[in-house]
Amino acid sequence: MPKRMTLKLLDAFADQSWSYETFSPDGRWHLVCPHCRAIVLLFEGLSPVDRGEIARLHHANSAEAIKMLTRVSGGDVHQAKANVLHMRDAESRCHNCKQEIPRGALLCSRCMAVNLDW
């Protein structure tokens, strides 16, 4: 079990009703972040070019990345913000605990936060 994923956090994650009451994935592919319980959409329809541009903007200016994701995905600002906040940093480290994460991994092994690899 990861260091910070205690039994109390596991029990809290088992109840995901708060996440679905707050955000609606509307049938889209998504993950519920075990760390913060936010719904993170996978936006499987975004082109690699758009994903790369959003990631580049995220490292320079998160507000611009949120605006672009809202524009290209057709989603709302709250969902775009949740997604941008869950993007790994430029050095392939977890956005939450800064541990290095291998390419393609969606969950940090230390803190269990979702990390988008865009």
Side-chain angles (χ1 to χ4, degrees):
M1 178 177 341
K3 295 176 187 173
R4 295 185 185 173
M5 196 56 146
T6 64
L7 292 176
K8 180 181 175 186
L9 288 175
L10 284 172
D11 288 341
F13 181 65
D15 177 23
Q16 297 178 359
S17 60
W18 174 85
S19 301
Y20 290 103
E21 289 170 3
T22 307
F23 301 106
S24 175
D26 297 325
R28 296 173 287 185
W29 287 86
H30 65 280
L31 294 168
V32 177
C33 179
H35 182 74
C36 67
R37 297 192 306 176
I39 291 180
V40 180
L41 296 177
L42 297 180
F43 290 115
E44 67 278 0
L46 283 183
S47 71
V49 173
D50 286 340
R51 287 177 192 244
E53 181 64 18
I54 292 167
R56 187 190 66 72
L57 284 172
H58 166 64
H59 301 309
N61 183 350
S62 293
E64 290 300 318
I66 292 168
K67 287 178 188 176
M68 181 176 178
L69 183 57
T70 303
R71 186 173 28 86
V72 298
S73 70
D76 66 355
V77 174
H78 298 296
Q79 192 58 61
K81 183 178 179 181
N83 273 58
V84 169
L85 290 176
H86 282 87
M87 294 174 118
R88 66 179 64 207
D89 67 14
E91 294 84 34
S92 294
R93 297 189 180 279
C94 175
H95 72 90
N96 184 52
C97 71
K98 306 303 181 204
Q99 174 177 310
E100 192 169 340
I101 301 175
R103 296 303 257 168
L106 286 173
L107 291 178
C108 174
S109 62
R110 181 186 293 166
C111 70
M112 297 298 290
V114 169
N115 283 271
L116 295 175
D117 187 10
W118 288 7

Coordinates of all heavy atoms in Angstrom, one line a residue, residues 2-53:
P2 N 0.6 2.2 -0.8 CA 1.4 3.5 -0.8 C 1.4 4.1 0.6 O 0.5 3.9 1.4 CB 0.6 4.3 -1.8 CG -0.1 3.4 -2.7 CD -0.5 2.2 -1.8
K3 N 2.5 4.8 0.8 CA 2.7 5.4 2.2 C 1.6 6.2 2.7 O 1.2 6.1 3.8 CB 4.0 6.2 2.2 CG 5.2 5.4 1.9 CD 6.5 6.3 1.8 CE 7.6 5.4 1.3 NZ 8.8 6.3 1.1
R4 N 1.0 7.1 1.8 CA 0.0 8.0 2.3 C -1.4 7.5 2.2 O -2.4 8.2 2.5 CB 0.1 9.3 1.6 CG 1.5 10.0 1.9 CD 1.5 11.3 1.3 NE 2.8 11.9 1.5 CZ 3.3 13.0 0.9 NH1 2.5 13.7 0.1 NH2 4.5 13.5 1.2
M5 N -1.6 6.3 1.6 CA -3.0 5.8 1.4 C -3.3 4.9 2.6 O -3.1 3.7 2.6 CB -3.0 5.0 0.1 CG -4.4 4.8 -0.3 SD -5.3 6.3 -0.5 CE -6.4 6.0 -1.8
T6 N -3.8 5.5 3.7 CA -4.1 4.8 4.9 C -5.5 4.1 4.8 O -6.2 4.4 3.8 CB -4.2 5.8 6.1 OG1 -5.3 6.7 5.8 CG2 -2.9 6.5 6.2
L7 N -5.8 3.3 5.7 CA -7.1 2.6 5.7 C -8.3 3.6 5.7 O -9.3 3.4 5.1 CB -7.2 1.7 6.9 CG -6.3 0.4 6.8 CD1 -6.5 -0.4 8.0 CD2 -6.7 -0.4 5.5
K8 N -8.1 4.7 6.5 CA -9.1 5.8 6.5 C -9.3 6.4 5.1 O -10.5 6.6 4.7 CB -8.7 6.9 7.5 CG -9.7 8.0 7.6 CD -9.2 9.1 8.6 CE -10.1 10.2 8.6 NZ -9.6 11.3 9.4
L9 N -8.2 6.6 4.4 CA -8.4 7.2 3.0 C -9.0 6.2 2.1 O -9.8 6.5 1.2 CB -7.0 7.6 2.5 CG -6.5 8.9 3.1 CD1 -5.1 9.2 2.6 CD2 -7.4 10.1 2.8
L10 N -8.7 4.9 2.3 CA -9.3 3.9 1.4 C -10.8 3.8 1.7 O -11.6 3.7 0.7 CB -8.7 2.5 1.7 CG -7.3 2.3 1.1 CD1 -6.7 1.0 1.6 CD2 -7.3 2.2 -0.4
D11 N -11.2 3.9 3.0 CA -12.6 3.9 3.3 C -13.3 5.1 2.7 O -14.4 5.1 2.1 CB -12.9 3.9 4.8 CG -12.5 2.5 5.4 OD1 -12.5 1.5 4.6 OD2 -12.3 2.5 6.6
A12 N -12.7 6.3 2.7 CA -13.2 7.5 2.2 C -13.4 7.4 0.7 O -14.3 7.9 0.1 CB -12.4 8.7 2.6
F13 N -12.4 6.8 0.0 CA -12.4 6.7 -1.4 C -13.5 5.7 -1.9 O -14.1 5.8 -3.0 CB -11.1 6.2 -2.0 CG -11.1 6.1 -3.5 CD1 -11.2 7.2 -4.3 CD2 -10.9 4.9 -4.1 CE1 -11.2 7.1 -5.7 CE2 -10.9 4.8 -5.5 CZ -11.1 5.9 -6.3
A14 N -13.8 4.7 -1.0 CA -14.9 3.7 -1.4 C -16.2 4.4 -1.6 O -17.0 4.0 -2.4 CB -15.0 2.7 -0.3
D15 N -16.5 5.5 -0.9 CA -17.7 6.3 -1.1 C -17.4 7.4 -2.1 O -16.8 8.5 -1.7 CB -18.2 6.8 0.2 CG -19.5 7.7 0.0 OD1 -20.2 7.5 -1.0 OD2 -19.7 8.5 0.9
Q16 N -17.8 7.3 -3.3 CA -17.5 8.3 -4.4 C -18.8 9.1 -4.7 O -18.8 9.8 -5.7 CB -17.0 7.6 -5.6 CG -15.7 6.9 -5.4 CD -15.3 6.2 -6.7 OE1 -15.9 6.2 -7.7 NE2 -14.1 5.5 -6.6
S17 N -19.8 9.0 -3.8 CA -21.0 9.8 -4.1 C -20.8 11.3 -4.2 O -21.4 11.9 -5.0 CB -22.1 9.4 -3.0 OG -21.6 9.8 -1.8
W18 N -19.9 11.8 -3.3 CA -19.6 13.3 -3.4 C -19.1 13.7 -4.8 O -19.6 14.7 -5.3 CB -18.6 13.6 -2.3 CG -18.2 15.1 -2.4 CD1 -18.8 16.1 -1.9 CD2 -17.1 15.6 -3.2 NE1 -18.2 17.3 -2.2 CE2 -17.1 17.0 -3.0 CE3 -16.1 15.0 -4.0 CZ2 -16.2 17.8 -3.6 CZ3 -15.1 15.9 -4.5 CH2 -15.2 17.3 -4.4
S19 N -18.2 12.9 -5.3 CA -17.7 13.2 -6.6 C -18.8 13.3 -7.7 O -18.8 14.2 -8.5 CB -16.6 12.2 -7.1 OG -15.6 12.1 -6.1
Y20 N -19.6 12.3 -7.7 CA -20.7 12.3 -8.7 C -21.8 13.3 -8.5 O -22.5 13.6 -9.4 CB -21.2 10.9 -8.9 CG -20.2 10.0 -9.5 CD1 -19.5 9.0 -8.7 CD2 -19.9 10.0 -10.9 CE1 -18.5 8.2 -9.3 CE2 -18.9 9.2 -11.4 CZ -18.2 8.3 -10.7 OH -17.3 7.5 -11.2
E21 N -22.0 13.7 -7.2 CA -23.0 14.8 -7.0 C -22.4 16.1 -7.4 O -23.2 17.0 -7.8 CB -23.3 14.8 -5.5 CG -24.1 13.6 -5.0 CD -24.2 13.6 -3.5 OE1 -23.6 14.5 -2.8 OE2 -24.7 12.6 -3.0
T22 N -21.1 16.3 -7.3 CA -20.5 17.6 -7.7 C -20.2 17.7 -9.2 O -20.5 18.8 -9.7 CB -19.1 17.7 -6.9 OG1 -19.4 17.5 -5.5 CG2 -18.6 19.1 -7.1
F23 N -19.7 16.7 -9.8 CA -19.4 16.7 -11.2 C -20.1 15.5 -11.9 O -20.2 14.5 -11.4 CB -17.9 16.6 -11.5 CG -17.1 17.7 -10.9 CD1 -16.4 17.4 -9.7 CD2 -17.1 18.9 -11.4 CE1 -15.6 18.4 -9.1 CE2 -16.4 19.9 -10.8 CZ -15.6 19.7 -9.7
S24 N -20.5 15.7 -13.1 CA -21.2 14.7 -13.9 C -20.3 14.4 -15.1 O -20.1 15.2 -16.0 CB -22.6 15.1 -14.3 OG -23.1 14.1 -15.2
P25 N -19.8 13.1 -15.2 CA -19.0 12.8 -16.4 C -19.9 12.6 -17.7 O -19.3 12.5 -18.8 CB -18.3 11.5 -16.0 CG -19.2 10.9 -15.0 CD -19.9 12.0 -14.3
D26 N -21.2 12.5 -17.5 CA -22.1 12.4 -18.7 C -21.7 11.2 -19.6 O -21.7 11.4 -20.8 CB -22.2 13.7 -19.5 CG -22.8 14.8 -18.7 OD1 -23.6 14.6 -17.8 OD2 -22.3 16.0 -18.8
G27 N -21.3 10.1 -19.1 CA -21.0 8.9 -19.9 C -19.7 8.9 -20.5 O -19.3 8.0 -21.2
R28 N -18.9 10.0 -20.2 CA -17.5 10.0 -20.8 C -16.5 9.2 -20.0 O -16.7 9.0 -18.8 CB -17.0 11.5 -20.9 CG -17.9 12.3 -21.9 CD -17.6 13.8 -21.8 NE -18.1 14.3 -20.6 CZ -18.1 15.6 -20.2 NH1 -17.5 16.5 -21.0 NH2 -18.5 16.0 -19.1
W29 N -15.4 8.8 -20.6 CA -14.4 8.1 -19.9 C -13.8 9.0 -18.8 O -13.5 10.1 -19.1 CB -13.3 7.6 -20.8 CG -13.7 6.5 -21.7 CD1 -14.4 6.5 -22.9 CD2 -13.6 5.1 -21.4 NE1 -14.7 5.3 -23.4 CE2 -14.2 4.4 -22.5 CE3 -13.0 4.4 -20.4 CZ2 -14.2 3.0 -22.6 CZ3 -13.0 3.0 -20.4 CH2 -13.6 2.3 -21.5
H30 N -13.6 8.5 -17.6 CA -13.1 9.3 -16.5 C -12.5 8.5 -15.4 O -12.6 7.3 -15.4 CB -14.2 10.2 -15.9 CG -15.3 9.3 -15.2 ND1 -16.3 8.7 -15.9 CD2 -15.5 9.0 -13.9 CE1 -17.0 8.0 -15.1 NE2 -16.6 8.2 -13.8
L31 N -11.7 9.1 -14.6 CA -11.2 8.5 -13.3 C -11.6 9.4 -12.2 O -11.7 10.6 -12.3 CB -9.7 8.5 -13.4 CG -9.0 7.7 -14.4 CD1 -7.5 8.0 -14.5 CD2 -9.1 6.2 -14.1
V32 N -11.8 8.8 -11.0 CA -12.0 9.5 -9.8 C -10.7 9.5 -9.1 O -10.1 8.4 -8.8 CB -13.1 8.9 -8.9 CG1 -13.2 9.7 -7.6 CG2 -14.4 9.0 -9.6
C33 N -10.1 10.6 -8.8 CA -8.8 10.7 -8.2 C -8.9 10.2 -6.7 O -9.7 10.8 -5.9 CB -8.3 12.2 -8.2 SG -6.7 12.4 -7.4
P34 N -8.2 9.2 -6.4 CA -8.2 8.7 -5.0 C -7.7 9.7 -4.0 O -8.1 9.6 -2.8 CB -7.3 7.4 -5.0 CG -7.2 7.0 -6.4 CD -7.3 8.3 -7.2
H35 N -6.9 10.6 -4.4 CA -6.3 11.6 -3.5 C -7.3 12.7 -3.1 O -7.5 13.0 -2.0 CB -5.0 12.2 -4.1 CG -4.4 13.2 -3.2 ND1 -3.7 12.7 -2.1 CD2 -4.3 14.5 -3.2 CE1 -3.2 13.8 -1.4 NE2 -3.6 14.9 -2.1
C36 N -7.9 13.3 -4.1 CA -8.8 14.4 -3.9 C -10.3 14.2 -4.2 O -11.1 15.0 -4.0 CB -8.3 15.7 -4.6 SG -8.5 15.5 -6.4
R37 N -10.6 13.0 -4.8 CA -11.9 12.6 -5.2 C -12.5 13.4 -6.3 O -13.7 13.4 -6.5 CB -12.8 12.5 -4.0 CG -12.4 11.4 -3.1 CD -13.4 11.1 -2.0 NE -13.9 12.3 -1.3 CZ -14.8 12.2 -0.4 NH1 -15.4 11.1 -0.1 NH2 -15.2 13.3 0.2
A38 N -11.7 14.2 -7.1 CA -12.2 14.9 -8.2 C -12.4 14.0 -9.4 O -11.6 13.0 -9.6 CB -11.3 16.0 -8.6
I39 N -13.4 14.2 -10.3 CA -13.5 13.5 -11.5 C -12.6 14.1 -12.6 O -12.7 15.3 -12.8 CB -15.0 13.4 -11.9 CG1 -15.8 12.6 -11.0 CG2 -15.1 12.9 -13.4 CD1 -17.3 12.5 -11.3
V40 N -11.8 13.2 -13.1 CA -10.8 13.7 -14.1 C -11.2 13.0 -15.4 O -11.2 11.8 -15.6 CB -9.4 13.3 -13.8 CG1 -8.4 13.8 -14.8 CG2 -9.0 13.9 -12.4
L41 N -11.7 13.8 -16.4 CA -12.1 13.2 -17.7 C -10.9 12.9 -18.5 O -9.9 13.6 -18.4 CB -13.0 14.2 -18.5 CG -14.3 14.6 -17.8 CD1 -15.0 15.6 -18.7 CD2 -15.2 13.3 -17.7
L42 N -10.9 11.8 -19.3 CA -9.8 11.4 -20.1 C -9.8 12.1 -21.5 O -8.7 12.1 -22.1 CB -9.8 9.9 -20.3 CG -9.6 9.2 -18.9 CD1 -9.6 7.7 -19.2 CD2 -8.3 9.6 -18.2
F43 N -10.8 12.7 -21.9 CA -10.9 13.5 -23.2 C -10.2 12.7 -24.3 O -9.3 13.1 -24.9 CB -10.3 14.8 -23.1 CG -11.1 15.8 -22.2 CD1 -10.6 16.3 -21.0 CD2 -12.3 16.2 -22.6 CE1 -11.3 17.2 -20.3 CE2 -13.1 17.1 -21.9 CZ -12.6 17.6 -20.7
E44 N -10.7 11.4 -24.5 CA -10.1 10.6 -25.5 C -10.3 11.1 -26.9 O -9.5 10.7 -27.8 CB -10.7 9.1 -25.4 CG -12.1 9.0 -25.7 CD -13.1 9.4 -24.6 OE1 -12.7 9.7 -23.5 OE2 -14.3 9.3 -24.9
G45 N -11.2 12.0 -27.1 CA -11.4 12.6 -28.4 C -10.4 13.7 -28.8 O -10.4 14.2 -30.0
L46 N -9.6 14.2 -27.9 CA -8.7 15.3 -28.2 C -7.6 14.8 -29.0 O -7.0 13.7 -28.8 CB -8.1 15.9 -26.9 CG -9.0 16.8 -26.1 CD1 -8.2 17.4 -24.9 CD2 -9.5 18.0 -26.9
S47 N -7.1 15.6 -30.0 CA -6.0 15.2 -30.8 C -4.7 15.3 -30.0 O -4.6 16.1 -29.1 CB -6.0 16.1 -32.0 OG -5.5 17.4 -31.7
P48 N -3.7 14.6 -30.4 CA -2.4 14.7 -29.8 C -1.8 16.1 -29.8 O -1.1 16.5 -28.9 CB -1.5 13.7 -30.5 CG -2.5 12.7 -31.1 CD -3.7 13.5 -31.4
V49 N -2.1 16.8 -30.9 CA -1.6 18.2 -31.1 C -2.2 19.1 -30.0 O -1.6 19.9 -29.3 CB -1.9 18.7 -32.5 CG1 -1.6 20.2 -32.6 CG2 -1.2 17.9 -33.5
D50 N -3.6 18.9 -29.8 CA -4.3 19.7 -28.8 C -3.7 19.4 -27.4 O -3.5 20.3 -26.5 CB -5.8 19.5 -28.8 CG -6.4 20.2 -30.0 OD1 -5.8 21.2 -30.5 OD2 -7.5 19.8 -30.4
R51 N -3.6 18.1 -27.1 CA -3.0 17.7 -25.8 C -1.6 18.3 -25.6 O -1.3 18.7 -24.5 CB -3.0 16.2 -25.7 CG -4.3 15.5 -25.6 CD -4.1 14.0 -25.6 NE -5.4 13.3 -25.7 CZ -5.9 12.6 -24.8 NH1 -5.3 12.3 -23.7 NH2 -7.1 12.0 -25.0
G52 N -0.8 18.2 -26.6 CA 0.5 18.8 -26.4 C 0.5 20.3 -26.2 O 1.3 20.8 -25.4
E53 N -0.3 21.0 -26.9 CA -0.4 22.4 -26.7 C -1.0 22.7 -25.3 O -0.5 23.7 -24.6 CB -1.3 23.0 -27.8 CG -1.5 24.5 -27.7 CD -0.2 25.3 -27.9 OE1 0.8 24.7 -28.4 OE2 -0.2 26.5 -27.5

